[in-house]
Amino acid sequence: MEKTFLMVKPDGVQRALIGDIVARFEKKGYQLIGAKLMQISKETASLHYAEHAERPFFGELVDFITSGPVFAMAWQGEGVIATARQMMGKTNPREAAPGTIRGDFGVALNKNVIHGSDSPESAEREISIFFKEEELVSYTKLL
Ligand code: CMP
């Protein structure tokens, strides 16, 4: 079954949006298979955002994502990678449609509430950065 990595960023945690964000994916029909509130290190942040290492905003990105706790999650379900990205909305919250997470909750590009994997390769890589295999559960969805 397809899996993705989602993370409520420090701004989302500070603004008490974890419950609302989790509820959206639960109500959509996706299955939460791993979650933890954690303070990530600069090393983990740099690994996670390695593809942005050459960007001018990389330092700011790492400083922000390590500035407070994040809520890291692994979700599974049919088409979860692309659908979660649709539910998150465009990267820049000012361009994200109302009804999406960033469209409803964010205004700044560098504080855009949530991160989500953009491909199966990223999902696998990002899940493995944040979770050990034994931290992910497997259970039958009854409904
Ligand atoms: P995310 O989906 O977590 O992936 C990389 C992040 O970089 C992105 O969300 C934005 O929050 C951030 N980002 C993208 N462009 C800029 C920018 N020009 N300045 C600061 N942060 C940016």
Side-chain angles (χ1 to χ4, degrees), residues 7 9 48-49 51-52 55-58 60-61 64-65 85 88 91-93 102 108-117:
M7 173 168 63
K9 296 185 181 185
H48 172 67
Y49 279 131
E51 68 178 292
H52 299 295
R55 304 273 187 103
F57 57 85
F58 182 68
E60 184 194 328
L61 188 57
F64 173 63
I65 210 73
R85 298 268 302 179
M88 287 160 50
T91 302
N92 187 342
R102 289 165 172 161
L109 176 58
N110 59 352
K111 293 191 176 66
N112 62 354
V113 184
I114 185 168
H115 168 85
S117 308

Coordinates of all heavy atoms in Angstrom, one line a residue, residues 7 9 48-49 51-52 55-58 60-61 64-65 85 88 91-93 102 108-117, ligand 1:
M7 N 4.5 16.1 7.8 CA 5.1 16.7 9.0 C 4.4 18.1 9.3 O 4.5 19.0 8.4 CB 6.6 16.9 8.8 CG 7.3 17.6 10.0 SD 9.1 17.5 9.9 CE 9.5 18.3 8.3
K9 N 4.8 21.4 10.7 CA 6.0 22.2 11.0 C 5.9 23.0 12.3 O 4.8 23.0 12.8 CB 6.3 23.1 9.8 CG 6.6 22.4 8.5 CD 7.0 23.4 7.4 CE 7.2 22.7 6.1 NZ 7.7 23.7 5.1
H48 N 16.9 15.8 5.6 CA 15.6 15.8 5.1 C 15.5 16.8 3.9 O 14.8 16.5 2.9 CB 14.6 16.2 6.2 CG 13.2 16.5 5.8 ND1 12.4 15.5 5.3 CD2 12.5 17.7 5.7 CE1 11.3 16.1 4.9 NE2 11.3 17.4 5.2
Y49 N 16.1 17.9 4.1 CA 16.0 19.0 3.0 C 17.2 19.0 2.1 O 17.5 20.0 1.5 CB 15.8 20.4 3.7 CG 14.4 20.6 4.1 CD1 14.1 21.1 5.4 CD2 13.3 20.5 3.2 CE1 12.8 21.4 5.8 CE2 12.0 20.7 3.6 CZ 11.8 21.2 4.9 OH 10.5 21.5 5.2
E51 N 17.9 18.1 -0.8 CA 17.7 18.6 -2.2 C 17.7 20.1 -2.3 O 17.8 20.7 -3.4 CB 16.4 18.0 -2.8 CG 15.1 18.5 -2.2 CD 13.8 18.0 -2.8 OE1 13.5 18.3 -3.9 OE2 13.1 17.3 -2.1
H52 N 17.5 20.8 -1.2 CA 17.5 22.3 -1.2 C 18.8 22.8 -0.7 O 18.9 24.1 -0.5 CB 16.4 22.8 -0.3 CG 15.0 22.4 -0.7 ND1 14.5 22.8 -1.9 CD2 14.1 21.6 -0.2 CE1 13.3 22.2 -2.1 NE2 13.0 21.5 -1.0
R55 N 20.1 26.0 -2.2 CA 19.2 27.2 -2.3 C 19.6 28.2 -1.3 O 20.1 27.9 -0.2 CB 17.8 26.8 -2.0 CG 17.2 25.6 -2.9 CD 16.6 26.2 -4.2 NE 16.0 25.1 -4.9 CZ 14.6 24.9 -4.9 NH1 13.9 25.8 -4.3 NH2 14.1 23.9 -5.6
P56 N 19.4 29.5 -1.7 CA 19.8 30.6 -0.8 C 19.1 30.6 0.5 O 19.6 31.1 1.5 CB 19.4 31.9 -1.6 CG 18.5 31.4 -2.7 CD 18.9 30.0 -3.0
F57 N 17.9 30.0 0.6 CA 17.1 29.9 1.8 C 17.3 28.7 2.7 O 16.6 28.5 3.7 CB 15.6 30.1 1.5 CG 15.0 29.0 0.6 CD1 14.6 27.8 1.1 CD2 14.9 29.3 -0.8 CE1 14.1 26.8 0.2 CE2 14.4 28.3 -1.7 CZ 14.0 27.1 -1.1
F58 N 18.3 27.9 2.3 CA 18.5 26.6 3.0 C 18.8 26.8 4.5 O 18.2 26.1 5.3 CB 19.7 25.8 2.4 CG 20.0 24.5 3.0 CD1 19.1 23.5 2.9 CD2 21.1 24.3 3.7 CE1 19.3 22.2 3.4 CE2 21.4 23.1 4.3 CZ 20.4 22.0 4.2
E60 N 17.9 29.3 6.4 CA 16.7 29.7 7.1 C 15.7 28.6 7.2 O 15.1 28.4 8.3 CB 16.1 30.8 6.1 CG 14.8 31.4 6.7 CD 14.0 32.2 5.6 OE1 14.7 32.8 4.7 OE2 12.8 32.3 5.7
L61 N 15.7 27.7 6.2 CA 14.8 26.5 6.3 C 15.2 25.6 7.4 O 14.3 25.1 8.2 CB 15.0 25.8 4.9 CG 14.0 24.7 4.6 CD1 12.6 25.1 4.6 CD2 14.4 24.1 3.1
F64 N 14.5 27.2 10.8 CA 13.0 27.2 11.1 C 12.5 25.8 11.5 O 11.8 25.7 12.5 CB 12.2 27.7 9.9 CG 10.7 27.6 10.1 CD1 10.1 28.3 11.2 CD2 10.0 26.8 9.4 CE1 8.8 28.2 11.4 CE2 8.6 26.6 9.6 CZ 8.0 27.3 10.6
I65 N 12.9 24.8 10.8 CA 12.3 23.5 11.0 C 12.9 22.9 12.4 O 12.3 22.0 12.9 CB 12.6 22.5 9.8 CG1 11.5 21.5 9.7 CG2 14.0 21.9 9.8 CD1 10.2 22.0 9.3
R85 N -0.8 15.9 -1.2 CA -0.3 17.2 -1.7 C -1.4 18.1 -2.1 O -1.3 19.3 -1.9 CB 0.6 16.9 -2.9 CG 1.8 16.0 -2.5 CD 3.1 16.8 -2.2 NE 3.5 17.7 -3.2 CZ 4.6 18.5 -3.0 NH1 5.3 18.4 -1.9 NH2 5.0 19.3 -4.0
M88 N -2.9 19.6 0.9 CA -2.0 20.6 1.5 C -2.1 21.9 0.8 O -1.9 23.0 1.4 CB -0.5 20.1 1.5 CG -0.2 19.0 2.4 SD 1.3 18.1 2.0 CE 2.4 19.4 1.7
T91 N 2.7 25.3 -2.3 CA 3.8 25.6 -1.3 C 3.7 26.9 -0.7 O 3.8 27.1 0.5 CB 5.2 25.4 -2.0 OG1 5.3 24.1 -2.6 CG2 6.3 25.6 -1.0
N92 N 3.3 27.9 -1.6 CA 3.2 29.3 -1.0 C 1.7 29.4 -0.6 O 0.8 29.4 -1.4 CB 3.5 30.3 -2.1 CG 3.5 31.7 -1.6 OD1 2.9 32.0 -0.5 ND2 4.1 32.6 -2.3
P93 N 1.5 29.6 0.7 CA 0.1 29.6 1.2 C -0.7 30.8 0.6 O -1.9 30.7 0.6 CB 0.3 29.9 2.7 CG 1.7 29.4 3.0 CD 2.5 29.6 1.8
R102 N -2.8 24.7 3.6 CA -2.0 25.9 3.6 C -2.9 27.1 3.2 O -2.7 28.2 3.7 CB -0.9 25.8 2.6 CG 0.2 24.9 3.1 CD 1.1 24.5 1.9 NE 2.3 23.7 2.3 CZ 3.0 23.0 1.5 NH1 2.7 22.8 0.3 NH2 4.1 22.4 1.9
A108 N 2.6 32.7 4.9 CA 4.0 32.9 4.5 C 4.7 31.7 4.0 O 4.5 30.6 4.5 CB 4.8 33.4 5.8
L109 N 5.4 31.9 2.9 CA 6.1 30.8 2.2 C 7.1 30.0 3.1 O 7.2 28.8 3.0 CB 6.9 31.4 1.0 CG 7.8 30.4 0.2 CD1 7.0 29.3 -0.4 CD2 8.5 31.2 -0.9
N110 N 7.7 30.7 4.0 CA 8.7 30.0 4.9 C 8.1 29.5 6.2 O 8.7 28.9 7.0 CB 9.9 31.0 5.2 CG 9.4 32.2 5.9 OD1 8.2 32.5 6.0 ND2 10.3 33.0 6.4
K111 N 6.8 29.8 6.3 CA 6.0 29.2 7.5 C 4.7 28.6 6.9 O 3.6 29.2 7.1 CB 5.7 30.2 8.5 CG 7.0 30.7 9.2 CD 6.6 31.6 10.5 CE 7.9 32.0 11.2 NZ 8.7 33.0 10.5
N112 N 4.9 27.5 6.2 CA 3.7 27.0 5.4 C 3.1 25.8 6.1 O 2.5 24.9 5.4 CB 4.1 26.8 4.0 CG 5.1 25.8 3.8 OD1 5.7 25.3 4.7 ND2 5.4 25.4 2.5
V113 N 3.2 25.6 7.4 CA 2.4 24.7 8.2 C 2.7 23.2 8.1 O 2.8 22.5 9.1 CB 0.9 25.0 8.0 CG1 0.0 24.1 8.9 CG2 0.5 26.4 8.1
I114 N 2.9 22.8 6.9 CA 3.0 21.3 6.7 C 4.0 21.0 5.6 O 4.1 21.7 4.6 CB 1.6 20.7 6.4 CG1 1.7 19.2 6.4 CG2 1.0 21.3 5.2 CD1 0.3 18.5 6.4
H115 N 4.6 19.8 5.7 CA 5.5 19.3 4.6 C 4.9 18.0 4.2 O 4.4 17.2 5.1 CB 6.9 19.1 5.1 CG 7.7 18.2 4.2 ND1 8.4 18.8 3.1 CD2 7.9 16.9 4.1 CE1 8.9 17.8 2.4 NE2 8.7 16.7 3.0
G116 N 4.9 17.6 2.9 CA 4.5 16.3 2.5 C 5.4 15.8 1.3 O 5.8 16.6 0.5
S117 N 5.7 14.6 1.3 CA 6.5 14.0 0.3 C 5.9 14.2 -1.1 O 4.7 14.2 -1.3 CB 6.7 12.5 0.5 OG 7.0 12.1 1.8
Ligands
CMP1 P1 8.4 22.2 2.0 O1 7.3 21.6 1.2 O2 8.7 21.8 3.4 O3 9.8 22.1 1.2 C1 10.8 23.0 1.2 C2 10.4 24.3 1.9 O4 11.2 25.4 1.6 C3 9.0 24.7 1.4 O5 8.1 23.8 2.0 C4 9.0 26.1 1.9 O6 8.5 26.3 3.3 C5 10.4 26.6 1.9 N1 10.7 27.6 0.9 C6 10.5 27.4 -0.4 N2 10.9 28.6 -1.1 C7 11.3 29.4 -0.1 C8 11.9 30.7 -0.1 N3 12.1 31.4 -1.2 N4 12.2 31.3 1.1 C9 12.1 30.6 2.2 N5 11.6 29.3 2.3 C10 11.2 28.7 1.1

